[in-house]
Amino acid sequence: MTKDKKKKISMTTRIFIGLIGGIITGIILHYFVPAGQIRDDIIIEGAFYMVGSGFMRLLQMLVVPLVFFSLSTGALSMGDTASLGKIGVKTVLFYLFTTASAVAIALGLSLIIKPGMGMDLSTVAQADVSIADAPSAKDTLLDIIPTNPIAALAEGNMLQIILFALLVGVICASMPEKLATISRLLNEGNDLMMKMTTMVMKVAPFGVFALVARTFSQLGFETFGPMLKYMGAVIGGLGLHVVFTYIPLLVIFTRLNPFKFFKKILPVITFAFSSASSGATIPITLASMDDAGVPRKVSAFTIPLGATINMDGTAIMQGCAVIFMSYAYQIPLEFSDFLTVILTATLASVGTAAIPGVGLVTLSMVLVSVGLPVEGIAMIMGIDRILDMARTAVNVTGDAVVTLIAAKTEGLLDIDQYNSTEKAEVSEEF
Ligand code: ASP
């Protein structure tokens, strides 16, 4: 046990060191190392690219089988559809509520900071901006049902995988004797994927270092100047959302110590920040929920679902961007427009894919809803990567908060594990 404890603390710390080391290395490379083949082709686009992308690919490799097996075995061990349904409804309501609250905070703060005020837009070059069509509610709902589950798995369509895996698990639970072999296969598949996750996590500090060092070595901070107010609004909004939405919800609904919560999810925040992808972060989020005492039967459902539909950080960026554009283009918005933005940004968060940069694409849907020009997106594109990293960290934090609330309020949280610093022995659960 002591060995386990030592190992876990050092892993979290090492991932964090990878992050800080990567930021410092990237900045040094950008400002102090002259451009040239060694810096650009060998270090940044060679070594950092290979290690960073290799690590991302390893995580992406885990996501689909991990979600499928964890979720089907989770449903299998839970067995009854009534409690699954209860957790499902509760989780979706919390996800929607936190996102709507995120947009409201972003709008309020931006109206105070007034990003974009006094900007001269005539100097901004027009760029090609892709416009996301708002998917109709009917189609979005229908799209949860896979017409071909194998294609859903192959394409990594998360909501379809969730539905199919739940059905497989529930049916196996209802026919334990007839489906004993398949049930065993699912459990073994789950053990296999958990072991693979542990192996991949061993290289996480290097992956995080390389990803962040590459991003920061490419970032020119000079471009931040005129955008500082906008960036301040987004980052301030993210911080306020954590303080005024997540922490109170956690304390009110779970009575858990929020400091412990952040300690447990530090690797998740670090990796989401480094990769700017909530989807690729799923294996790490699941592992840290194990450590927080959430049984896989809950987290295997709520985490992939949250990574797919709950993007509070993205919604905050979109709220701030709306106010930014409204000042920059001098198109005043009315109160009813703010309500429209809360609604469309919440829907856009559901429709945003859990990969880097997509929040900027679905922003067009929000802008169009209140008559703002989508060309404005070109102005914030240049500095979006750094905000993408920050908002993705908030996106995954929201998933973790709601997961803990769902587990605790259903009486399924292992409080001793939450309070302990020791690593969860998850594989014993199944
Ligand atoms: N990168 C974000 C995520 O994966 C989505 C976005 O806002 O672009 O959560």
Side-chain angles (χ1 to χ4, degrees):
M1 274 300 166
T2 352
K3 204 174 142 234
D4 270 356
K5 183 177 166 185
K6 247 172 82 188
K7 231 164 65 188
K8 185 212 154 204
I9 291 173
S10 77
M11 178 49 84
T12 304
T13 314
R14 280 193 300 154
I15 295 182
F16 195 66
I17 293 173
L19 172 78
I20 304 295
I23 294 178
I24 296 172
T25 311
I27 294 177
I28 292 178
L29 281 173
H30 185 85
Y31 286 105
F32 303 107
V33 179
Q37 210 190 357
I38 297 195
R39 186 192 79 168
D40 299 321
D41 298 343
I42 299 179
I43 302 180
I44 300 175
E45 292 308 324
F48 291 170
Y49 175 74
M50 287 286 288
V51 176
S53 308
F55 178 58
M56 282 288 277
R57 293 180 70 107
L58 280 174
L59 280 165
Q60 284 160 343
M61 167 186 87
L62 298 175
V63 173
V64 168
L66 183 65
V67 168
F68 177 77
F69 285 120
S70 310
L71 196 50
S72 52
T73 48
L76 175 62
S77 68
M78 186 120 64
D80 79 288
T81 39
S83 30
L84 266 174
K86 235 172 108 195
I87 293 180
V89 171
K90 199 182 275 184
T91 309
V92 171
L93 288 180
F94 268 105
Y95 280 156
L96 293 177
F97 170 75
T98 52
T99 312
S101 143
V103 195
I105 289 177
L107 291 175
L109 182 67
S110 303
L111 287 170
I112 298 171
I113 296 185
K114 302 186 174 40
M117 201 177 187
M119 265 188 130
D120 180 9
L121 283 192
S122 54
T123 58
V124 176
Q126 298 271 317
D128 243 359
V129 177
S130 42
I131 301 177
D133 287 329
S136 80
K138 270 189 309 195
D139 290 338
T140 310
L141 278 177
L142 275 177
D143 199 44
I144 299 176
I145 306 171
T147 49
N148 176 350
I150 308 295
L153 288 164
E155 287 158 10
N157 185 322
M158 212 40 84
L159 295 180
Q160 298 188 349
I161 297 174
I162 290 176
L163 180 71
F164 188 66
L166 280 176
L167 284 173
V168 170
V170 168
I171 293 170
C172 284
S174 70
M175 305 167 84
E177 263 137 56
K178 243 184 160 173
L179 298 177
T181 316
I182 295 192
S183 304
R184 229 185 107 193
L185 196 83
L186 293 175
N187 280 314
E188 287 180 9
N190 189 43
D191 289 343
L192 173 79
M193 292 317 297
M194 300 259 250
K195 180 73 193 160
M196 213 183 278
T197 308
T198 319
M199 284 169 67
V200 171
M201 284 296 286
K202 295 221 162 79
V203 295
F206 304 102
V208 164
F209 173 85
L211 282 170
V212 180
R214 178 161 177 262
T215 308
F216 275 79
S217 63
Q218 291 166 334
L219 279 181
F221 298 98
E222 317 59 61
T223 52
F224 288 7
M227 304 302 285
L228 275 183
K229 267 185 158 182
Y230 166 70
M231 294 180 79
V234 175
I235 291 172
L238 295 174
L240 289 180
H241 187 57
V242 172
V243 175
F244 291 108
T245 308
Y246 292 158
I247 296 182
L249 283 181
L250 198 67
V251 173
I252 293 168
F253 286 97
T254 69
R255 313 241 160 244
L256 294 170
N257 177 339
F259 293 104
K260 283 199 176 129
F261 168 75
F262 286 105
K263 215 171 147 207
K264 297 263 176 193
I265 67 157
L266 188 62
V268 181
I269 295 180
T270 311
F271 183 70
F273 181 81
S274 319
S275 66
S277 168
S278 346
T281 311
I282 290 173
I284 298 179
T285 322
L286 284 175
S288 88
M289 288 296 95
D290 297 338
D291 280 345
V294 179
R296 277 278 165 131
K297 56 191 170 201
V298 177
S299 61
F301 170 64
T302 56
I303 294 299
L305 181 71
T308 315
I309 70 163
N310 183 48
M311 308 230 177
D312 300 350
T314 302
I316 286 172
M317 175 278 285
Q318 296 181 338
C320 295
V322 162
I323 304 295
F324 173 80
M325 307 289 173
S326 132
Y327 279 118
Y329 284 100
Q330 288 163 20
I331 301 176
L333 297 177
E334 292 172 7
F335 185 70
S336 62
D337 292 325
F338 295 142
L339 296 181
T340 308
V341 171
I342 294 182
L343 188 72
T344 48
T346 305
L347 293 177
S349 135
V350 176
T352 304
I355 50 174
V358 183
L360 214 53
V361 178
T362 48
L363 170 63
S364 53
M365 181 180 135
V366 184
L367 293 176
V368 168
S369 73
V370 285
L372 289 167
V374 288
E375 293 78 33
I377 295 179
M379 298 166 56
I380 53 177
M381 238 174 209
I383 45 117
D384 191 62
R385 176 67 191 191
I386 190 112
L387 296 178
D388 195 8
M389 296 163 90
R391 68 176 180 255
T392 307
V394 170
N395 287 347
V396 296
T397 304
D399 304 340
V401 168
V402 172
T403 296
L404 272 167
I405 293 176
K408 177 70 173 32
T409 52
E410 287 301 307
L412 294 169
L413 186 77
D414 178 349
I415 309 266
D416 292 339
Q417 177 60 44
Y418 182 85
N419 288 321
S420 132
T421 48
E422 305 212 345
K423 197 168 171 46
E425 295 193 37
V426 277
S427 32
E428 277 178 15
E429 262 226 59
F430 298 103

